[in-house]
Amino acid sequence: MGSDTVGQAPPPPPDDRDEALSRVLDEGVVWGDAAQWLRCLPAESVDLFFTSPPYADARAYSRIHPENYVEWFLPFAAAMLEATSPTGSFVLNIKNRVAKSGELRGQRHPYVYELVLAMQRMGWRWVETYIWSKPNAIPGRFGPRTKDSFEYVYHFATGAKPFFDLDSVRVPYKADPAEIARRLVDSNGRRNTDAGFGRDRTKTYGCGGADPGNVIAVSQSYNQHRGPAGRHTAVMPEGLAEFFVRAACPPGGVVVDPFAGSGTTTVVARRHGRRAGGIELLDEYVTVATERLDGDCVQEELGLLRVAI
């Protein structure tokens, strides 16, 4: 990759599906069009697709109008559905927008919600909605609104029983040791609701930590971070990828990011013992990702991940 490839279309993927997957995993981040590469991956070969695609009308490198976003994204979703294993997942980080033009100008555009419902109709099982809370969100003037300090993360799956390792993402108990010891011998831990739901808390006391909530607090990563990731305009914090890699992909499993950007997903997944790779349309970011993979430069201090309970 370099100046000699600027403005050129990326090369097509190989015709052989196994070779296509091998190249993604071997190279870490391949230069290519995800619309082509995803269709070339073997059926049921990926345990986790984790990605943060270009948001609507957000970046100079991708101007997708909110009105066209669902139509643009669904072919990617269909290809990933075919390539995901029966116990696999697709985790999507996405942010809604205030419309800049059209009938909804100045209002929140519903393209994110429309996309989620369209994917559900396609056959993806909508497992959960997470909130990525950003304690250090960028301040600014947003009209009659507070600053944007969260983004959505949607968990989809192909089957009714996707892999999900809750133990890997548990959070420390807030109770003191004496209270935890008392709870371990509590024989009346079930707290059912009138609707019939609830958790038997006696089954969680001995797990080493409490169940995490679906609000994940991870500080934003800005461009001033040291290392090659700083050359990308929208760096995902490693803590966000870490939570879902650990929870939604088994050790040794396959993780693919079809909008790889600076390579955060691949770096984090490999660090945690998964086989991982990504696809990136812009060759300059493939160079960035390759440098990160070669050096495995940690963006944040270890243990930055915080999960609200």
Side-chain angles (χ1 to χ4, degrees), residues 25 30 49 58-59 84 111 133 140 164 176 191 216 221 246 290:
L25 299 180
V30 297
F49 283 103
R59 299 288 169 182
T84 303
Y111 84 94
S133 172
F164 196 81
D176 59 44
R191 298 293 184 269
I216 305 172
S221 294
R246 290 166 58 185
T290 300

Side-chain angles (χ1 to χ4, degrees), residues 201-279:
R201 294 186 297 179
T202 63
K203 297 186 183 300
T204 65
Y205 295 154
C207 293
D211 291 1
N214 57 1
V215 176
I216 305 172
V218 183
S219 294
Q220 179 66 282
S221 294
Y222 297 114
N223 292 340
Q224 68 264 31
H225 271 286
R226 64 184 182 277
R231 303 205 302 273
H232 195 280
T233 58
V235 181
M236 175 193 294
E238 293 181 354
L240 186 65
E242 178 187 354
F243 179 89
F244 291 101
V245 165
R246 290 166 58 185
C249 181
V254 173
V255 179
V256 173
D257 185 345
F259 302 95
S262 67
T264 298
T265 300
T266 302
V267 168
V268 171
R270 289 185 173 186
R271 190 183 297 152
H272 287 280
R274 276 66 172 178
R275 295 180 293 152
I279 306 158

Side-chain angles (χ1 to χ4, degrees), residues 58-75:
R59 299 288 169 182
Y61 56 74
S62 181
R63 293 295 187 189
I64 308 160
H65 194 279
E67 296 292 337
N68 304 323
Y69 198 91
V70 174
E71 179 183 5
W72 171 77
F73 192 83
L74 284 184

Side-chain angles (χ1 to χ4, degrees), residues 35 45 76 110 133 141 149 175 190 204 215-216 239 254 258 283 287 299 304:
S45 61
F76 299 102
S133 172
R141 299 178 62 184
S149 60
R190 183 170 294 280
T204 65
V215 176
I216 305 172
V254 173
D283 61 335
T287 300
Q299 278 182 266
L304 179 65

Side-chain angles (χ1 to χ4, degrees), residues 143-165:
R145 301 176 180 87
T146 57
K147 67 180 180 181
D148 286 338
S149 60
F150 79 93
E151 296 185 17
Y152 293 108
V153 184
Y154 292 98
H155 179 192
F156 300 95
T158 56
K161 295 183 178 181
F163 175 88
F164 196 81
D165 182 9

Side-chain angles (χ1 to χ4, degrees), residues 14-54:
D15 294 329
D16 183 86
R17 291 189 173 219
D18 291 331
E19 181 183 351
L21 180 60
S22 293
R23 279 193 54 190
V24 170
L25 299 180
D26 291 344
E27 295 182 24
V29 174
V30 297
W31 180 35
D33 185 343
Q36 299 176 6
W37 279 81
L38 289 173
R39 292 196 301 267
C40 290
L41 297 180
E44 302 183 355
S45 61
V46 177
D47 296 290
L48 173 64
F49 283 103
F50 178 82
T51 195
S52 182

